[in-house]
Amino acid sequence: MRSDFRRSKIMCLCLCLTCGLCFSSCGETGSGAAQKRHSSDSQTTTTVTVSAPAENSPENVGTQADHLGIKDDIRALFGHERKSTTTTTTFTTTTTNAAEYEKELRSMYTLTMDDNFVVTRSGSIGDDLIWKITFNGQTVLERNAESELTFKYDWYGAGDYTITLTSFISGEYRPVSNTVEYTISLKDTRVSPNEESILKLKKSLKSICSRSYSFDSDADDTVYLEKRMGVICDPNHDGYMESIVFYAGTSNSGSNIQQVYCSDRDIFLPDSYDDSLTYYVWFDADTKQDYLCKVTVSGSETTAKDAFTDDILWSKSNKNGCTLFGKQVSAEELENLGFYENALTFNTDTEPDNDNVWVSRNNKPSFEGMYS
């Protein structure tokens, strides 16, 4: 029964990962040089026609709302909570002038962009917002902005881009921010193979679903997992960087659960259902290696194993003393290792972060923006 449950979870997670890749339109990073770049004010260069609010006017739910309804059915099919198409952003206005109404809407949020074409929005995580991207005047992507405060898009290469925030107000999606405009020109940007690999892994991390669901058939207990953080390192020591994603959450019965996904692995990593097993990424500057560790606690004994090889990296026990890479060491020597100062873990107490990532830089953790 347990093996069936694990296979079901793996299948569910794979489906969620596939959905994340499809819905994100498979591309959010890149490089280029700006020929022009500016943030437009509330008098945006993009022409948008809106109607001023009128008393007792019926809602006009168009094709975008219908599209959201289709997504809602898909979410429900996989056990996700429905997002009602009638959910709207609350906005109060006293004007009946269409131009003034649009200007007020566009002052709700502010977009800024840095020299690397990374757009940052105001507001908070959880706001009901959509990134709307155009390329050479044509809309190419409308992406949920609820779980992220930063965004970068130049998937189509050289050309003219605009990015605007929209929200569902008075029966339709309306612009609720200024519009940033920029032009990507062709340019030979030379980066090291290692840095190019890191950029590609960051790109894939932004495409992974932020949520997944699984079901414990033994306890008939629904489990809710959420993406907490991504880490880029070389955990299997093959000379190639991989992406590791930590998921965590709780079940309806209150159990804490940690789940780890690695972009290149051939072994099954069991979920952590309690505090007896916790996954860490350990950056060891002494051996110049990164490790994905599973740390287990049983009574007074703590053991850290390599998740790929199951080799014991270190152990600490009142009965058997301390070991480090198979050799007996003193408690002081093990303490000087600084494992917990150089290892990262993400669980139910960790706030989800889709705008940043930890990267192994010379086997030391570096906290970086997803697009830096």
Side-chain angles (χ1 to χ4, degrees), residues 256 272-278 295-297:
N256 293 326
S272 167
Y273 278 83
D274 51 47
D275 294 334
S276 64
L277 170 62
T278 305
V295 178
T296 57
V297 178

Side-chain angles (χ1 to χ4, degrees), residues 14-171:
C14 290
L15 286 170
C16 289
L17 296 178
T18 303
C19 290
L21 289 170
C22 292
F23 289 152
S24 64
S25 199
C26 299
E28 298 145 16
T29 63
S31 58
Q35 292 175 331
K36 64 178 182 181
R37 182 180 65 250
H38 70 275
S39 298
S40 63
D41 57 19
S42 58
Q43 301 298 323
T44 176
T45 58
T46 302
T47 301
V48 179
T49 302
V50 298
S51 300
E55 187 176 0
N56 298 325
S57 61
E59 290 188 351
N60 178 22
V61 181
T63 56
Q64 288 178 311
D66 295 337
H67 182 58
L68 181 61
I70 294 173
K71 287 186 177 180
D72 208 23
D73 292 336
I74 295 174
R75 289 174 58 83
L77 180 64
F78 289 100
H80 294 242
E81 180 182 354
R82 284 182 174 272
K83 288 189 173 181
S84 172
T85 57
T86 59
T87 301
T88 61
T89 298
T90 302
F91 179 74
T92 303
T93 183
T94 58
T95 183
T96 57
N97 181 277
E100 288 296 323
Y101 182 50
E102 180 183 349
K103 185 176 181 179
E104 288 184 9
L105 287 176
R106 286 182 171 272
S107 67
M108 294 177 65
Y109 292 89
T110 301
L111 299 181
T112 58
M113 186 168 64
D114 64 17
D115 292 337
N116 196 32
F117 308 104
V118 178
V119 177
T120 300
R121 71 170 177 87
S122 60
S124 305
I125 295 294
D127 291 348
D128 187 16
L129 297 168
I130 300 291
W131 302 105
K132 181 177 180 179
I133 296 90
T134 71
F135 173 69
N136 291 340
Q138 300 294 318
T139 299
V140 293
L141 180 65
E142 291 180 285
R143 170 191 172 94
N144 194 328
E146 178 182 345
S147 64
E148 53 195 1
L149 299 176
T150 62
F151 187 65
K152 180 178 180 178
Y153 191 86
D154 56 4
W155 179 245
Y156 282 81
D160 298 323
Y161 295 83
T162 71
I163 298 181
T164 310
L165 285 175
T166 66
S167 189
F168 195 69
I169 298 175
S170 300

Side-chain angles (χ1 to χ4, degrees), residues 126-326:
D127 291 348
D128 187 16
L129 297 168
I130 300 291
W131 302 105
K132 181 177 180 179
I133 296 90
T134 71
F135 173 69
N136 291 340
Q138 300 294 318
T139 299
V140 293
L141 180 65
E142 291 180 285
R143 170 191 172 94
N144 194 328
E146 178 182 345
S147 64
E148 53 195 1
L149 299 176
T150 62
F151 187 65
K152 180 178 180 178
Y153 191 86
D154 56 4
W155 179 245
Y156 282 81
D160 298 323
Y161 295 83
T162 71
I163 298 181
T164 310
L165 285 175
T166 66
S167 189
F168 195 69
I169 298 175
S170 300
E172 63 182 293
Y173 281 92
R174 300 173 184 258
V176 291
S177 74
N178 58 305
T179 294
V180 293
E181 301 175 320
Y182 59 102
T183 297
I184 298 293
S185 62
L186 293 175
K187 184 179 179 181
D188 183 17
T189 56
R190 299 183 183 277
V191 296
S192 68
N194 191 54
E195 287 301 315
E196 184 177 1
S197 172
I198 291 174
L199 289 174
K200 288 181 178 179
L201 289 169
K202 286 183 177 181
K203 176 179 176 180
S204 68
L205 281 171
K206 286 293 287 188
S207 299
I208 292 177
C209 281
S210 60
R211 297 181 178 92
S212 65
Y213 290 79
S214 59
F215 300 90
D216 189 337
S217 57
D218 289 346
D220 192 24
D221 192 15
T222 301
V223 175
Y224 174 79
L225 296 174
E226 191 168 5
K227 176 187 172 186
R228 301 291 168 160
M229 180 63 72
V231 182
I232 296 174
C233 60
D234 180 17
N236 51 0
H237 317 141
D238 62 357
Y240 297 97
M241 302 289 267
E242 318 290 352
S243 59
I244 295 175
V245 184
F246 281 80
Y247 295 86
T250 57
S251 66
N252 286 344
S253 61
S255 299
N256 293 326
I257 299 169
Q258 184 189 50
Q259 187 179 89
V260 176
Y261 163 83
C262 184
S263 60
D264 184 18
R265 62 177 173 85
D266 297 320
I267 61 171
F268 173 74
L269 298 175
D271 300 340
S272 167
Y273 278 83
D274 51 47
D275 294 334
S276 64
L277 170 62
T278 305
Y279 286 96
Y280 287 82
V281 176
W282 177 31
F283 308 85
D284 185 19
D286 290 337
T287 61
K288 299 190 181 303
Q289 300 281 3
D290 305 319
Y291 299 92
L292 177 58
C293 309
K294 48 184 182 181
V295 178
T296 57
V297 178
S298 178
S300 63
E301 184 173 356
T302 304
T303 304
K305 292 184 177 181
D306 188 317
F308 288 88
T309 64
D310 219 35
D311 293 337
I312 295 178
L313 302 175
W314 60 265
S315 64
K316 182 178 182 180
S317 170
N318 290 342
K319 179 180 179 180
N320 300 317
C322 303
T323 65
L324 176 60
F325 296 113

